[in-house]
């Protein structure tokens, strides 16, 4: 197995989405007038991104444990 | 959207972009340690799981021009733009996975031009390698210029800074981690594009009253241009004649030109995408790569075409979402009937600016940047492999150490980026030169699939046949283009330079028919010359051609994960989508 194959891309993918999701969600909560559509899209979508990042990170973590 | 209406970014938007850039370079830094040979750098050590190579297969093709261009086409043509996916991509992706990958992967060729050397001869490899290398860096440069111009227009960024910074980031991670780094970043970029555009579609549809609301609004768009009221929301219904649909093409030209010649010519022979499948960890994984990629590809119209349809629907309802095009004096351009000419390339970005608040806007713009960077990295990693293995090792230095070829590959990566930057500046200075170059590329690409199809499925095909077929096909494309002209165009780069004998209702119709003629000419000439020249002995064709290659065995994965099973599911979904949007 090459060095590349040992590095699971899901690890940085999960971490990136958790981080980006947090930035987007915090921006949604703290930025005044951040809801031009009438719904808190940044907060909602930030949460979705964090959830996606968490699932991907869990998959990477489980694969590493095998 | 002119210089007076540039959009300001918030701290959160900048933070999203900064995080993304840090991660893409970080991946390159981590992977730097795993690169110890030219195989690791250029071929990724053939170690990729199928799902990773599949997402990279898709992302390498997802340049900014696709995201922006498909949004623009969605506004101009409506749901018929989905033909570029459902007819113009997915069938060819299934074909290359099921039928061609056994030859590419099984032959152990390191590139598509190298396969041509093994199957045919040196001159056919050389012709393909040189034309591919030139095309990839120039395409990369054209895309870089388009991206720089977009961000200049949208955010007021300095054109030079936008182009050089993005090129610098792509250079950093491809130089550090080679193809593996490019592929891993393409996976990140794929998900960023999905997460960056999905909420845009949802918000837009919610605003116009769902699909039925969008359909109603698009009736005005269709009837104001003289088409049936449902012309923007039906993909096949108005394809009986070219005049009845906004694409300006009839069904046969569409299916044969786009669905067969151009699509199969790109997805089945272009090393840029085939390289991702060749990096897979096994033959089964390589065959599954394009088939798995077909699933998201099938759904991409909803992500990249719908924003354009939403933008034109809102503009037609008085929303003024798509800005007008401006002339050099800063005045809005008008067409022959005195109507304002819209800048369709800004349809998707304008919708991003309209809907996305702080943080989300950074996400959407990062998705645009990611699409550009994945396309550029795809071009550069394919360029360095072809130049190192096919041109340098093939013709300059055949017997150097692997360390030497690794250094050449790294140097070629830098050269690829530098030539791309130069091409971007040429595009900025001489727009017509780039139009001419793109035209020449189209002529070279159009006949390619005939050469590969005959080479893989007819063992009698010879190197002389393939070479002369390619040249004849390219010549036929140039002659047909020179003798034809689309409606509303003047003789020149749009055609007719040999005298406008044939007239087409649209530029796309002319392109499709040029491709059909080039393919047919290449097929006939290759077959005829092959019959007149001596074929290679069968012993030299083992693993390269049908009948002399073992049938692939997919028993290392469960039945439902096998390429054939997955392909059947894709076909069923594809039929369903075409019926729903008929």
């Amino acid at each position: 197995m090459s060095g590349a194959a040992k590095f699971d891309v899901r690890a940085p993918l999960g971490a990136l989405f958790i981080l980006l999701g947090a930035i987007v969600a915090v921006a949604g909560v703290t930025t005044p007038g951040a809801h031009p559509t009438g719904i808190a899209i940044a907060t909602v979508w930030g949460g979705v991104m964090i959830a996606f990042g968490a699932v991907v990170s869990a998959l990477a973590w489980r694969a590493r444990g095998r | 959207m002119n210089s007076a209406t540039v959009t300001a970014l918030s701290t959160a938007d900048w933070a999203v972009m900064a995080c993304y850039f840090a991660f893409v370079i970080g991946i390159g830094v981590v992977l730097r340690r795993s690169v110890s040979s030219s195989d690791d750098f250029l071929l990724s050590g053939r170690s990729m799981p199928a799902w990773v190579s599949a997402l990279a297969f898709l992302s390498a093709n997802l340049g900014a021009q696709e995201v922006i261009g498909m949004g623009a086409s969605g506004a101009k043509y409506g749901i018929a733009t989905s033909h570029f996916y459902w007819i113009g991509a997915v069938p060819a992706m299934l074909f290359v996975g099921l039928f061609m990958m056994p030859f590419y992967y099984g032959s152990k060729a390191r590139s598509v031009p190298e396969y041509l050397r093994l199957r045919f001869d040196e001159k056919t490899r050389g012709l393909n390698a040189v034309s591919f290398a030139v095309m990839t860096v120039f395409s990369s440069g054209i895309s870089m210029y388009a991206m720089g111009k977009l961000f200049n227009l949208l955010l007021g960024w300095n054109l030079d800074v936008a182009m050089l910074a993005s090129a610098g980031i792509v250079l950093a991670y491809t130089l550090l981690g080679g193809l593996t780094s490019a592929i891993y970043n393409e996976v990140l970029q794929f998900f960023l594009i999905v997460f960056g555009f999905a909420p845009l579609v949802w918000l837009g549809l919610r605003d116009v009253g769902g699909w039925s609301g969008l359909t109603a609004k698009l009736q005005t768009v269709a009837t104001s241009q003289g088409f049936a009221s449902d012309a923007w929301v039906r993909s096949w219904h108005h394809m009986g004649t070219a005049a009845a649909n906004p694409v300006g093409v009839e069904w046969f030209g569409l299916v044969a030109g786009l669905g067969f010649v151009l699509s199969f010519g790109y997805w089945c022979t272009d090393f840029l995408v085939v390289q991702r499948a060749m990096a897979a960890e096994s033959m089964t994984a390589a065959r599954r790569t394009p088939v798995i990629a077909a699933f998201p590809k099938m759904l991409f119209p909803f992500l990249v075409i719908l924003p354009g349809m939403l933008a034109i629907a809102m503009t037609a309802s008085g929303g003024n979402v798509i800005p007008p095009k401006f002339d050099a004096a800063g005045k809005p351009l008008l067409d022959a009937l005195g109507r304002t000419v819209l800048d369709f390339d800004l349809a998707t970005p304008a919708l991003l600016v309209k809907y996305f608040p702080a943080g989300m806007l950074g996400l959407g713009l990062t998705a645009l940047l990611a699409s550009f960077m994945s396309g550029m990295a795809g071009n550069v990693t394919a360029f360095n492999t072809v130049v190192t293995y096919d041109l340098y090792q093939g013709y300059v230095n055949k017997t150097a150490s692997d360390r030497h070829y690794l250094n050449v590959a790294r140097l070629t990566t830098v050269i690829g980026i530098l030539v791309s930057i130069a091409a971007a500046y040429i595009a900025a200075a001489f727009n017509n030169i780039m139009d001419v170059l793109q035209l020449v590329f189209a002529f070279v690409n159009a006949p390619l699939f005939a050469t590969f199809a005959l080479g893989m499925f007819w063992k009698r095909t010879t190197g002389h046949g393939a070479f002369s077929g390619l040249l004849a096909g390219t010549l036929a494309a140039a002659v047909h283009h020179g003798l034809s002209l689309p409606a509303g165009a003047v003789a020149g780069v749009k055609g007719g330079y040999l005298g406008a004998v044939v007239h087409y209702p649209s530029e796309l119709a002319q392109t499709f028919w040029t491709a059909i003629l080039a393919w047919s000419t290449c097929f006939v000439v290759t077959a005829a010359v092959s019959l007149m020249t001596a074929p290679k002995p069968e012993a030299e064709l083992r693993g390269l051609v049908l009948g002399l290659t073992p049938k692939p065995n997919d028993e290392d994965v469960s039945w439902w994960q096998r390429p054939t099973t997955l392909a059947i599911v894709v076909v069923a979904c594809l039929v369903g989508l075409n019926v729903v949007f008929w």
Side-chain angles (χ1 to χ4, degrees), chain A residues 2 4 7 12 19 34 37 39 45, chain B residues 19 23 47 180 184 195 202 206 357:
Chain A
S2 75
F7 176 55
L19 197 59
T37 54
I39 49 170
W45 201 244
Chain B
C19 274
F23 266 74
S47 60
T180 310
Y184 280 12
F195 277 84
W202 182 64
R206 187 176 166 274

Side-chain angles (χ1 to χ4, degrees), chain B residues 335-551:
Chain B
D335 66 12
L337 299 173
R339 294 175 302 194
T340 306
V341 177
L342 298 176
D343 193 345
F344 289 115
D345 282 345
L346 287 176
T348 301
L351 213 58
L352 279 177
V353 172
K354 173 179 167 67
Y355 281 118
F356 279 4
M360 289 289 289
L361 184 58
L363 180 69
L365 294 173
T366 304
L368 274 182
L369 278 172
S371 70
F372 157 72
M373 286 164 63
S374 60
M376 184 177 187
N379 278 309
V380 170
T381 49
F383 171 82
N384 64 13
T385 308
V386 167
V387 171
T388 304
Y389 285 149
D390 291 295
L391 298 177
Y392 184 77
Q393 191 179 23
Y395 300 109
V396 180
N397 188 347
K398 289 180 195 283
T399 55
S401 67
D402 188 68
R403 168 63 52 183
H404 178 79
Y405 292 125
L406 176 59
N407 289 334
V408 170
R410 288 196 166 120
L411 180 65
T412 313
T413 306
V414 178
I415 292 171
I417 296 275
L418 291 177
V419 178
S420 298
I421 293 170
Y425 279 102
I426 293 172
F430 309 101
N431 207 18
N432 263 354
I433 287 183
M434 300 317 280
D435 286 346
V436 172
L437 271 175
Q438 280 186 313
L439 199 60
V440 174
F441 298 165
F443 296 163
V444 173
N445 272 336
L448 263 180
F449 183 65
T451 309
F452 281 82
L454 282 169
M456 286 180 173
F457 302 110
W458 188 40
K459 64 185 176 187
R460 187 66 185 75
T461 316
T462 68
H464 293 317
F467 188 76
S468 46
L470 280 175
L471 292 182
T474 301
L475 187 67
V479 169
H480 176 262
H481 191 262
L483 292 172
S484 60
L485 204 60
V490 290
V493 78
K494 301 287 182 194
Y497 38 82
L498 300 175
V501 178
V502 185
H503 292 270
Y504 287 104
S506 70
E507 218 171 295
L508 276 177
Q510 182 197 32
T511 304
F512 294 166
W513 280 100
T514 300
I516 292 168
L517 199 79
W519 187 90
S520 310
T521 306
C522 179
F523 190 91
V524 170
V525 172
T526 303
V529 175
S530 292
L531 288 171
M532 291 186 280
T533 48
K536 271 189 167 185
E538 287 197 355
E540 290 179 26
L541 294 176
R542 296 203 188 286
L544 300 168
V545 65
L546 188 73
L548 298 171
T549 303
K551 281 194 174 171

Side-chain angles (χ1 to χ4, degrees), chain B residues 138-419:
Chain B
F138 274 94
S139 301
S140 172
I142 295 167
S143 174
M144 188 191 298
Y145 171 63
M147 189 274 319
K149 212 171 81 171
L150 174 71
F151 278 80
N152 172 265
L153 211 57
L154 206 60
L155 304 174
W157 288 3
N158 180 288
L159 187 70
D160 299 320
V161 173
M163 292 199 303
L164 295 176
S166 54
I169 292 166
V170 172
L171 175 64
Y173 72 77
T174 49
L175 194 58
L176 286 164
L179 180 62
T180 310
S181 182
I183 286 179
Y184 280 12
N185 276 310
E186 282 158 4
V187 173
L188 258 59
Q189 286 148 358
F190 168 81
F191 285 106
L192 258 174
I193 291 164
V194 171
F195 277 84
F197 287 101
L200 184 67
V201 175
W202 182 64
L203 291 172
L205 273 178
R206 187 176 166 274
D207 215 14
V208 297
W211 180 254
S212 55
L214 178 64
T215 303
K217 284 186 176 5
L218 287 173
Q219 285 181 359
T220 321
V221 178
T223 50
S224 69
Q225 295 180 46
F227 294 107
S229 60
D230 56 356
W232 254 249
V233 291
R234 299 187 74 169
S235 60
W236 285 105
H237 189 75
H238 302 290
M239 282 288 161
T241 60
N245 64 78
V247 186
V249 184
E250 84 297 343
W251 71 270
F252 182 80
L254 182 84
V255 173
L258 175 67
F260 181 60
V261 178
L262 290 176
S263 164
F264 280 63
Y266 175 72
W267 292 99
C268 300
T269 73
D270 196 306
F271 184 54
L272 168 67
V273 285
V274 173
Q275 185 181 28
R276 271 67 195 156
M278 287 168 86
E281 61 192 353
S282 66
M283 169 69 89
T284 306
R287 294 182 68 223
R288 291 171 70 207
T289 294
V291 182
I292 294 174
F295 283 96
K297 187 73 181 176
M298 214 165 26
L299 300 175
F300 255 68
F302 301 112
L303 216 53
V304 296
I305 296 172
L306 262 182
M309 292 171 65
L310 288 162
I312 191 70
M314 291 171 188
T315 305
S317 315
N320 290 328
V321 174
I322 306 177
K325 271 190 172 178
F326 293 96
D327 61 17
K331 288 182 182 165
L333 282 174
L334 301 177
D335 66 12
L337 299 173
R339 294 175 302 194
T340 306
V341 177
L342 298 176
D343 193 345
F344 289 115
D345 282 345
L346 287 176
T348 301
L351 213 58
L352 279 177
V353 172
K354 173 179 167 67
Y355 281 118
F356 279 4
M360 289 289 289
L361 184 58
L363 180 69
L365 294 173
T366 304
L368 274 182
L369 278 172
S371 70
F372 157 72
M373 286 164 63
S374 60
M376 184 177 187
N379 278 309
V380 170
T381 49
F383 171 82
N384 64 13
T385 308
V386 167
V387 171
T388 304
Y389 285 149
D390 291 295
L391 298 177
Y392 184 77
Q393 191 179 23
Y395 300 109
V396 180
N397 188 347
K398 289 180 195 283
T399 55
S401 67
D402 188 68
R403 168 63 52 183
H404 178 79
Y405 292 125
L406 176 59
N407 289 334
V408 170
R410 288 196 166 120
L411 180 65
T412 313
T413 306
V414 178
I415 292 171
I417 296 275
L418 291 177
V419 178

